[in-house]
Amino acid sequence: MTTSHRILGAVAATGAAALVLSGCVAKSDVTAGAAFDVSSTDSACSVSGTTAESGTLTFEVTNDSGQVSEFYLLADDGLRIVGEVENIAPSASRTLTVVAQPGDYFTLCKPGMIGEGVGKSAFTVTGERVTVDGPDAEQKQQAVDLYAAFVKDQVGQLVPAVEDLVAAYEAGDDDTARSLFPLTRAFYERIEPVAEALGDLDPRIDYREVDAVAEGLDWTGFHRIEKDLWVPAQDALNADGETPAWQDWAPSTTEERADFGDLLLADVQELYDYVHSDDFTETLDDQGIGGISNGAIALLDEVATGKISGEEDWWSGTDLYDFAANVEGSKMAFSLVQDFAEAQGDDGAALVAEIESGYAALEESLAAHGSLTDGFVGYSELTDADKREFTDLINALAEPLSQLTGTVLD
């Protein structure tokens, strides 16, 4: 499948972005702009400098590759997009302008506009924090634009990851497919509420067997593949604790694997096409920052209702990967709206502090069992005490997080 060609067609109508971190700024507080030249090739992302003083930064990006490319300035977590410029045609140049606060960042190019990108390098901003002012509506729109960029980036990495997973699955290379399964799902889990809003797309991609059967749906997607990769014992029970694992199920034949793999590829491509469409942009614009805030809440709910119980990845036991990705996506969405909550005075600032503390505690607890980079222990290795700790931490974070949307919309 020539995904890169189809994807280029899907995004041909999108324009370049020039995003400003933290909205408008008082001109008297902005340091005279530092300018950098960027060369994006098929294998490198060369930036003319790696440090700058806080203030307005300009990146003049030239695409020296043979593919349409993108350039990103990422926050220190490597997930949150501070600024991006996309759809840079071969031999063309585009400019990204951001107002950068002191901190650690990364620069990255993405030739072909899919995958994890190339040339990821550290970029440091020093100096004093820039004072933010300007129209509230403009700052809120920028938060929406940055969330859209994050979703596009995650889905752009999901597509080739699914291709690799499906290729191994269809070829019967189960060891490789098992190693790819939880890492591939992480891209989806960070932005899952977007797919859930699209009717039957999330059920086709991510329904468990018991849910599909209960709703009379054809069972396809990640978890259909999962069961083939981790074939249950003959006497095992399904995630409902009642239905025999082999009831109305048998390991897929080679032909069936090809069908299920191709269906997952098509459904993920549909998700990609949607997040690069005008409909997606209009939906996010209509929801505004309340939609972003609600997304942070929804992702934590995903942890509480599925991952913490071990019912999501029932056969593979890779639930902690999903757990961690949900938390990352939730925290990223929160980071885009926390300034608006803090702007509501002492109560807003206290709410943000409580939420930040909740995320930190949850991340610390997760880190005791592994990481997305190095791998997590299987869910069956968690003790009852471990699960109670996770539950308590999720509940402690969920309560203040539930107040976030009302606060940012005040």
Side-chain angles (χ1 to χ4, degrees):
M1 182 176 70
T2 55
T3 302
S4 59
H5 292 154
R6 292 181 307 141
I7 288 174
L8 292 183
V11 300
T14 61
L19 304 177
V20 181
L21 176 62
S22 298
C24 298
V25 296
K27 292 183 180 179
S28 61
D29 293 325
V30 180
T31 305
F36 300 88
D37 294 323
V38 181
S39 172
S40 173
T41 70
D42 288 330
S43 59
C45 187
S46 302
V47 183
S48 60
T50 59
T51 62
E53 289 288 315
S54 56
T56 302
L57 307 183
T58 301
F59 297 89
E60 184 70 19
V61 186
T62 301
N63 184 5
D64 294 316
S65 76
Q67 311 175 70
V68 175
S69 190
E70 299 173 317
F71 172 73
Y72 291 87
L73 182 66
L74 303 173
D76 59 355
D77 60 5
L79 288 174
R80 185 166 61 87
I81 296 171
V82 175
E84 55 112 21
V85 58
E86 61 183 353
N87 202 34
I88 313 170
S91 300
S93 297
R94 295 284 174 84
T95 301
L96 170 67
T97 301
V98 297
V99 174
Q101 306 288 4
D104 296 322
Y105 300 86
F106 292 99
T107 55
L108 176 76
C109 295
K110 192 175 290 188
M113 298 177 64
I114 59 171
E116 62 184 1
V118 299
K120 186 177 182 180
S121 301
F123 189 91
T124 303
V125 177
T126 60
E128 299 298 322
R129 185 168 179 82
V130 177
T131 302
V132 177
D133 68 4
D136 187 61
E138 187 171 343
Q139 294 179 41
K140 290 179 177 179
Q141 182 59 51
Q142 185 191 346
V144 173
D145 292 342
L146 288 174
Y147 186 69
F150 171 73
V151 171
K152 291 177 185 179
D153 173 62
Q154 290 300 300
V155 179
Q157 295 189 66
L158 174 67
V159 170
V162 169
E163 287 184 330
D164 290 343
L165 169 64
V166 166
Y169 169 68
E170 292 184 353
D173 184 1
D174 288 1
D175 286 343
T176 297
R178 282 191 286 264
S179 70
L180 294 174
F181 179 82
L183 298 175
T184 299
R185 284 180 53 75
F187 298 115
Y188 185 80
E189 292 295 328
R190 292 188 187 104
I191 53 90
E192 188 170 5
V194 173
E196 289 179 337
L198 296 178
D200 65 349
L201 186 58
D202 180 66
R204 299 197 319 256
I205 292 174
D206 201 39
Y207 253 27
R208 301 174 306 156
E209 182 178 11
V210 292
D211 297 323
V213 170
E215 297 184 24
L217 301 175
D218 291 336
W219 183 40
T220 61
F222 278 121
H223 295 301
R224 180 84 196 209
I225 290 173
E226 177 195 8
K227 195 171 183 180
D228 280 332
L229 295 176
W230 285 271
V231 175
Q234 290 283 345
D235 60 350
L237 296 177
N238 216 322
D240 59 4
E242 299 176 359
T243 309
W246 286 68
Q247 180 174 303
D248 301 322
W249 178 86
S252 300
T253 64
T254 299
E255 292 75 15
E256 288 170 334
R257 283 192 175 208
D259 289 340
F260 290 131
D262 288 350
L263 282 171
L264 180 58
L265 289 170
D267 290 337
V268 168
Q269 181 64 40
E270 183 178 332
L271 178 61
Y272 184 98
D273 293 341
Y274 170 69
V275 302
H276 287 86
S277 71
D278 291 341
D279 286 345
F280 176 63
T281 301
E282 291 169 3
T283 297
L284 284 188
D285 287 348
D286 289 344
Q287 293 175 346
I289 62 169
I292 301 174
S293 175
N294 287 334
I297 298 168
L299 281 165
L300 197 68
D301 288 342
E302 287 289 336
V303 177
T305 58
K307 282 69 175 183
I308 195 61
S309 63
E311 297 176 28
E312 178 78 4
D313 300 309
W314 185 250
W315 305 116
S316 64
T318 56
D319 300 81
L320 289 183
Y321 290 82
D322 289 4
F323 187 150
N326 282 158
V327 172
E328 285 185 344
S330 177
K331 184 180 178 183
M332 201 290 307
F334 162 71
S335 75
L336 291 176
V337 301
Q338 69 180 83
D339 286 351
F340 303 108
E342 285 182 316
Q344 301 305 316
D346 291 344
D347 289 345
L351 179 66
V352 167
E354 187 176 1
I355 293 172
E356 288 180 322
S357 177
Y359 278 121
L362 191 53
E363 289 170 333
E364 182 180 0
S365 183
L366 267 170
H369 304 282
S371 69
L372 284 167
T373 302
D374 298 326
F376 283 102
V377 301
Y379 191 81
S380 62
E381 296 185 36
L382 297 181
T383 65
D384 289 342
D386 293 331
K387 296 172 189 177
R388 282 195 300 272
E389 178 177 306
F390 280 140
T391 299
D392 291 344
L393 290 170
I394 291 168
N395 289 338
L397 175 57
E399 194 282 324
L401 197 61
S402 68
Q403 304 172 40
L404 182 63
T405 302
T407 301
V408 300
L409 293 180
D410 281 347

